[in-house]
Structure formats: C-alpha cells, structure tokens
Amino acid sequence: MNEQKQNDSIDRNRPETTSVSNRFETNATAAASTKRVLIVTAVDAEKEAVLRGLGDQAAERFDVIAAGVGPASAAAGTAAALAFASAAAGASALAQGSAAPSQTDAAQASAASSRPGPLAGTGLTPAYTLVVSAGIGGGFPGRADVGSLVVADAMVAADLGSQTPDGFLSVDELGFGSSRVAADAALAARLRHELQRAGLAVSGGTAVTVSTATGTAETAAELLRRVPDAAAEGMEGFGVATAAQQFGLPALELRAISNAVGPRDRDAWRIKDALDALQAASSILREVLTS
C-alpha cells in the first residue's frame, strides 16, 4: 500500500490478528482437500474491493486478509496466515484419521520438510498454492497511468540497503541478501493478457516496495535510477513475496494506480477509481485462477 492512501475514505483499522486463527480453523477442512490462494492487502478498503471482485463464491478458493501497512506488517501477517493455514490443515487431516497419507501427500510433506523455511522438519505441507499482494499504489508516469493496473514481473525492496558517500547501495550490492523476488512469470503474463482482453489498461514491470512513500520528483528519479524498469510503487509487495518465498510458494503483485509517483499532490489522487479498478481486476483474477 502506498502512503497516498491516507485519506478519510480509507479505514486504517489494525491488521487482522485475533480473527486470523479462527478463520483458518474454519477453513481447515477445505484447505486440507483443496489448495487455496491467499490474497494479502494492507487495509480493509482494499480487502473489501478484492472481495467484491471475487464474488459470492470467493470463500471456496480464496482467503483475503488485511495484514497492515508497510513491508514488515505485510511479511508478518502473510507468514502468520500461511503458518496458521498449514497447521490447521494438518490438524484437520489428523482429525479425519488420515494416518496413511497418499504417496503424493507423503512426497509433498517430505519436500516441505526438507527445504528451509518455517515448515522445515514439521511434516506439514503449504495449504496454499499461490500468494497475491493486492492493493492500490503509485504509478511511474509514462509506465502506469492513474486508473490503470500493474501486474508485476518482480517485487523489489527499493530502499533496502545503505547510503554511502557515493550513493545508495542495495542489500544485494552489500552482499547481505536479495532485495528482489520474481513473480510467477507465466501466471503474471496470463493475468495481464486476460485483463487486456477484458478492456482494462494494464502493464508489467517491477513493483518497488518502499517504507516511505515518494513525495518528490527527486526521489522518484532516484528510484528509477535504482530500478530502471519500475512501474508501480507500494509498501507491501516485497514483504508479502518474501513470506511466500519462505514457504516455497509463488507470488504475484497486483496494483491499481491511484496516483503518480512524484511530487505529493493529494488533489490529484483517484483512490475511488483505483479501488474500482482493483475490484474489476480481482474478478478477472478469480477467472484466471479457477479456470
């Protein structure tokens, strides 16, 4: 979520915490038998737009949560949801007497246990097949117009690194990890294609994640210097994608553009239009993922 979402029309409720475990316990039986999709937004206004787009049957395949604003809240909320769902599915399987898993289930559990991450050594498998970061945000002029959509090719933490006398060094350049998570390329391309077929304006490129939303032309230019193919700016995508990566799951980022990345101009923000675009895109997302 971009900081530009801070206006009276956005209800900045606290991220979902106490209700998360209850929801995933309720969905435990379904999760155990049907792989699901987790969609993560920052705030309730985005969550509600996504749910409207998914329609009345959303609960059969999708879980949608508002995890909070910023990469830390997004990562923590996503990881908690993934962990709850995996544990609930495992408990449900045991309660149903699944003492002898199928060869396929056993192979999946073995793979999950052998790779690094929160499920390592647990014998549990992920309850989801995909994690999607969805919300509204900023678009770089000439690449993603206000009111359009971006389905990212990658999620990059554009301000994760260090300032030096010679300029910014990314965490990659420092040798301390990676600031980039690639999206599921085939699925991102398919979603863009279907959005275009539906008559919606959409582009690809990188979605940059920042902890402080851009408010000057100088900062916008610096972000493009760091990430030349940047198309959208948000505050959660990299956090969501990192959590998904820890669980061995693919990720997507879907942004509806509410404002131009650059000088802060509240009068030019089109939050309602962006939420409407997010709703429309979520309807197409449902068709792509359930067809």
Side-chain angles (χ1 to χ4, degrees):
M1 171 185 165
N2 195 291
E3 184 271 346
Q4 276 90 332
K5 288 180 247 185
Q6 297 185 36
N7 80 346
D8 294 338
S9 69
I10 296 291
D11 178 12
R12 286 182 169 272
N13 293 331
R14 291 187 178 184
E16 301 172 58
T17 53
T18 57
S19 64
V20 171
S21 59
N22 292 336
R23 179 189 306 105
F24 293 118
E25 287 170 6
T26 301
N27 288 337
T29 301
S33 59
T34 303
K35 294 296 186 179
R36 302 173 65 79
V37 175
L38 177 64
I39 302 178
V40 184
T41 70
V43 297
D44 283 343
E46 295 167 321
K47 174 185 171 181
E48 291 160 5
V50 170
L51 287 171
R52 288 194 299 271
L54 293 176
D56 294 338
Q57 305 304 313
E60 295 180 0
R61 183 73 186 274
F62 300 91
D63 289 319
V64 186
I65 65 170
V69 177
S73 291
T78 303
L82 293 172
F84 274 129
S86 293
S92 177
L94 288 175
Q96 294 177 47
S98 301
S102 68
Q103 290 184 345
T104 300
D105 290 340
Q108 290 175 339
S110 176
S113 297
S114 62
R115 62 175 173 247
L119 298 186
T122 65
L124 297 174
T125 59
Y128 295 98
T129 55
L130 175 70
V131 182
V132 181
S133 174
I136 67 176
F140 286 87
R143 304 181 182 199
D145 295 334
V146 174
S148 71
L149 299 160
V150 171
V151 178
D153 296 304
M155 291 66 76
V156 170
D159 54 5
L160 181 59
S162 176
Q163 292 287 350
T164 77
D166 297 321
F168 177 81
L169 290 178
S170 70
V171 69
D172 310 68
E173 294 169 307
L174 293 169
F176 294 150
S178 177
S179 60
R180 183 181 188 276
V181 178
D184 183 312
L187 189 52
R190 183 181 171 202
L191 178 56
R192 282 194 296 266
H193 175 71
E194 294 302 324
L195 289 168
Q196 289 171 340
R197 284 188 60 194
L200 299 173
V202 60
S203 58
T206 292
V208 298
T209 299
V210 294
S211 295
T212 301
T214 298
T216 68
E218 292 76 15
T219 302
E222 172 63 14
L223 286 176
L224 286 174
R225 187 192 68 78
R226 297 177 191 175
V227 187
D229 66 340
E233 175 186 272
M235 299 179 75
E236 294 80 33
F238 179 77
V240 172
T242 297
Q245 188 177 60
Q246 285 288 307
F247 281 78
L249 297 173
L252 288 179
E253 181 167 0
L254 170 64
R255 288 283 159 189
I257 305 304
S258 60
N259 56 273
V261 177
R264 181 180 171 86
D265 181 5
R266 289 178 65 96
D267 292 337
W269 300 350
R270 287 168 49 191
I271 292 177
K272 183 183 183 303
D273 291 345
L275 290 171
D276 288 345
L278 181 62
Q279 176 180 335
S282 297
S283 177
I284 304 301
L285 177 67
R286 181 199 65 221
E287 295 176 7
V288 168
L289 296 180
T290 57
S291 61

